[in-house]
Amino acid sequence: QVQLVESGGGLVQAGDSLRLSCDASGRTFGTYSMGWFSQAPGKEREFVAAISWSGRNTYYAGSVKGRFTISQDRAKNTVYLQMNSLKPEDTAVYYCAAVVGIDSPEDYGSPDEYDYWGQGTQVTVSS
């Protein structure tokens, strides 16, 4: 079992930055690949970013590439999502998720591939 707890969300203005954190506990963190997803009201959960268990590979949705950065600190069992140049359309609940055994880069973008989820943290960007 893996427990995930997100933090760092809040209300900001367009153009501001936020850093989300996802603290993991339970089984060995280093064996899990991690992802961030967002879900706006009335919409399906969408892929934002992911990082392989080794940390060598990162993946981003086109809408956030160049603005968001995913990283991890194994010593702290924490994954981060640095969000810069925020836009009102980034408003959503952000979830982190963990998975073992991703087979292909395309699978990182599918919520169904992930085994564990946090409770989410709200990000609201005003115009």
Side-chain angles (χ1 to χ4, degrees):
Q1 279 281 12
V2 173
Q3 293 79 44
L4 304 173
V5 179
E6 302 96 333
S7 61
L11 172 63
V12 296
Q13 293 186 332
D16 286 350
S17 298
L18 279 175
R19 188 177 77 160
L20 306 184
S21 299
C22 174
D23 294 315
S25 60
R27 291 185 60 182
T28 306
F29 173 66
T31 63
Y32 285 85
S33 295
M34 303 294 294
W36 285 97
F37 290 79
S38 67
Q39 189 166 20
K43 294 188 176 181
E44 293 188 353
R45 197 162 295 190
E46 296 182 343
F47 171 71
V48 176
I51 186 166
S52 63
W53 69 269
S54 67
R56 285 196 293 267
N57 299 307
T58 57
Y59 308 91
Y60 296 94
S63 60
V64 306
K65 195 171 292 185
R67 298 189 299 125
F68 292 8
T69 303
I70 188 171
S71 62
Q72 62 184 12
D73 185 335
R74 287 197 195 182
K76 296 182 178 180
N77 285 354
T78 301
V79 176
Y80 303 99
L81 184 68
Q82 178 66 43
M83 310 166 69
N84 297 331
S85 302
L86 282 161
K87 304 176 181 179
E89 51 263 44
D90 295 321
T91 295
V93 177
Y94 284 74
Y95 299 89
C96 73
V99 59
V100 174
I102 288 279
D103 293 327
S104 67
E106 292 76 19
D107 290 340
Y108 281 100
S110 172
D112 294 339
E113 294 292 329
Y114 290 78
D115 302 309
Y116 302 99
W117 292 84
Q119 83 290 348
T121 185
Q122 176 71 46
V123 172
T124 303
V125 185
S126 64
S127 58

